[in-house]
Amino acid sequence: MKSQKQLFYLLLVAVAILLFAHLGKLYVDIMEARNFVSAREMAEEGHWIFTTMNGIPRYEKPPLPTWLSAWMGQIFGFDNIAALRFPAALSCMLLIIYFYKIVDLLSKNTHIALISSLVLVTNFLVIYVGRRANWDIYSYSFMVIGIYYFLLALKKIKSIPNYLFAGVFFGLSILSKGPTGPYVLLIPLIMGYAITFGMPKWVDIKGIALCSVITVMIGFSWYLYIYLADSDTFLAIMKKEALARENRDAKPFTRYLSFPVQTGVWIFYSVVGLVFPMVKKRVKQPEIYMLFFYWTLFSLILLSLIPSKKERYLFPMMVPLAATTGYYLHYLFHSLDLKKWELSLNKAIFTVLAIVSLAISVGIYFLPLTVEINTVLFSAAAFVTCVSLVYFIYIKQNFQYAFCSVIVLMIYTGIFGLPVLDKMLSNNKEFKSLTTIKAKLHHENLRLYTYSEYSPEVWFKYQKLMPEIQPGNPKTYPADKEFYIAMNSNKPESLKTLEDLGWKLVYIGVFDDNEEGSHSKNYTDRKIHYVYKIMTL
């Protein structure tokens, strides 16, 4: 009991620190920027249903996550990154809580649920996605909540009300990112459940039908409304999005076999927990372990079938994977008769983590950074973790305490490591934000337009609509005699197109909003703007 209380408090601290500490650190990525720009235009332009991005219709994603960001922006301001990200972090926290409830419901073992939840919240991909205000985390969170009520209903616990609750949250998942949540979380679970426990009984059909109706009514309500009100634009955008999913970031079927890397510190145990023949014989609840195993397996298969592949798309798989990992760790913590090879294997895994901790404590001083208090404290925490791991592995031979040491290191990473990472990623010596021109425009009482440009991150920073000029479409031409224009390219053909309109161009300068330097793979021309002052003749 004392051990479970310790893990419970450790879980609370881990969730609070890893999801909410320094929430405004790390620059806004393109997915977040799209969400934030649309959110600002909801509040300022009233585009709550017919969503836009920089004034252009954006129906690629449903509006629920953007509504949440818009409400936070109205209260705290749209330049408050921490506030805009808060709903996403809160959503991830709810996902962790309901994942704990799912594991506890199925296993009837609080210790397994706590271990699995600690594994999930310290998973690298979960931390990364959970702190970012894009659409993914909302879809997955609502889906996990819905799955909890769905499982309650299957267990005949207030079946009809729980099927109703499940339908509501499944619908909210679809209203967050389309049918992604059901495809990568619900369908794999149902397939695993059918293999492990058999298909749902006929008595459940009425409840499942009710759940399905509620899901469709809520989940597709916005899609139907937009289709009826603006069908041409909606269908054009959907066609474009479908083609993009087939061709953009297309990777081979085997791309996701590297999934253990995304778990971070659990890279080795995520693999060990999936050695089905071995773990099944060792755990006390083989059927429940099997359910999580098949859930993980089918999630990987369904994700791999999609041509477009990105590492963050693996997030749904991390949910059941945390449970398979948790089951093996629970066995490890309570086993008194580990075979020699298995004892050596587990010692080797924690030894590697100790070496990594030592490397962090020393290597951090070799980074191209000014040594500050966070650097020293993070280094010290990593060194203490290294010593703790060696002590608990080789002297006490207590794997649970070694496990807790790894969790504590992750918590220290959230406290001290994130500010260090934030400074490390802000290394562009040529950084000069386009926002610096706002004072000049205000003084001259002129407006900034864009041409041949796409940069959601800069649109977010600029905090104002930057209308796009489209050659061949006179409706987009400014009525002003003088204005400024920002472009991602200053190629002669681009400039000639504008000059052919009878406009005189005066070069002002180049602005680079890349937080990272040109040596980084994240450096992009999308954040570079060439600005000209335009005078119509």
Side-chain angles (χ1 to χ4, degrees), residues 480-492:
D480 315 45
K481 295 296 183 182
E482 294 184 2
F483 55 90
Y484 285 79
I485 193 168
M487 304 181 290
N488 286 145
S489 170
N490 64 345
K491 292 180 179 179

Side-chain angles (χ1 to χ4, degrees), residues 63-316:
L64 179 54
T66 314
W67 289 341
L68 299 175
S69 295
W71 292 330
M72 292 299 290
Q74 285 181 311
I75 298 171
F76 298 101
F78 285 96
D79 57 348
N80 190 326
I81 297 174
L84 296 176
R85 285 173 171 168
F86 182 80
L90 183 63
S91 183
C92 190
M93 183 186 77
L94 290 173
L95 184 149
I96 302 295
I97 291 171
Y98 274 87
F99 170 74
Y100 166 84
K101 291 165 74 71
I102 288 172
V103 179
D104 192 41
L105 171 70
L106 294 173
S107 68
K108 295 182 173 59
N109 189 316
T110 303
H111 198 206
I112 293 177
L114 285 169
I115 294 169
S116 301
S117 299
L118 281 165
V119 169
L120 184 61
V121 75
T122 52
N123 180 300
F124 164 75
L125 193 58
V126 171
I127 297 170
Y128 176 79
V129 175
R131 294 173 58 92
R132 296 281 184 175
N134 55 42
W135 292 264
D136 302 62
I137 189 60
Y138 297 99
S139 175
Y140 305 145
S141 179
F142 286 129
M143 184 52 57
V144 168
I145 296 171
I147 284 173
Y148 171 71
Y149 290 109
F150 190 74
L151 290 171
L152 280 178
L154 288 177
K155 285 181 166 289
K156 308 298 185 292
I157 301 173
K158 298 181 181 179
S159 294
I160 296 302
N162 281 320
Y163 276 127
L164 178 63
F165 289 144
V168 169
F169 285 106
F170 290 163
L172 292 176
S173 175
I174 294 174
L175 201 56
S176 297
K177 201 188 175 185
T180 301
Y183 178 76
V184 295
L185 276 168
L186 182 59
I187 293 176
L189 168 70
I190 292 174
M191 294 169 71
Y193 191 94
I195 293 175
T196 307
F197 300 109
M199 295 296 293
K201 309 300 181 186
W202 278 106
V203 70
D204 293 309
I205 297 301
K206 184 187 296 185
I208 293 175
L210 172 64
C211 176
S212 301
V213 170
I214 298 297
T215 298
V216 172
M217 286 177 61
I218 294 175
F220 292 96
S221 57
W222 176 80
Y223 288 98
L224 178 61
Y225 186 84
I226 294 297
Y227 172 74
L228 294 175
D230 192 9
S231 59
D232 290 343
T233 305
F234 176 76
L235 291 175
I237 290 174
M238 289 299 105
K239 182 178 180 181
K240 180 181 177 182
E241 184 73 359
L243 290 173
R245 285 185 175 275
E246 290 180 8
N247 302 314
R248 185 178 56 206
D249 299 306
K251 301 292 189 302
F253 181 85
T254 56
R255 171 60 183 264
Y256 285 151
L257 292 180
S258 62
F259 69 87
V261 175
Q262 300 304 317
T263 64
V265 293
W266 308 119
I267 180 172
F268 300 113
Y269 278 114
S270 65
V271 176
V272 174
L274 290 177
V275 182
F276 184 78
M278 180 188 76
V279 181
K280 181 184 175 184
K281 293 177 182 178
R282 284 163 168 70
V283 299
K284 294 181 179 179
Q285 300 171 320
E287 280 194 332
I288 306 302
Y289 165 76
M290 285 171 58
L291 172 60
F292 286 113
F293 173 83
Y294 285 124
W295 186 358
T296 305
L297 177 64
F298 289 126
S299 180
L300 175 61
I301 292 173
L302 291 181
L303 283 165
S304 298
L305 291 175
I306 302 173
S308 178
K309 293 179 176 66
K310 294 181 180 178
E311 278 65 28
R312 64 183 174 85
Y313 293 168
L314 280 169
F315 185 102

Side-chain angles (χ1 to χ4, degrees), residues 416-431:
F416 307 124
L418 277 173
V420 174
L421 179 62
D422 182 59
K423 283 189 173 296
M424 188 172 72
L425 294 180
S426 301
N427 57 27
N428 185 7
K429 296 179 180 179
E430 304 298 324
F431 182 85

Side-chain angles (χ1 to χ4, degrees), residues 323-337:
T324 58
T325 305
Y327 259 91
Y328 179 76
L329 288 171
H330 179 263
Y331 154 77
L332 176 65
F333 298 161
H334 292 83
S335 180
L336 301 175
D337 57 346

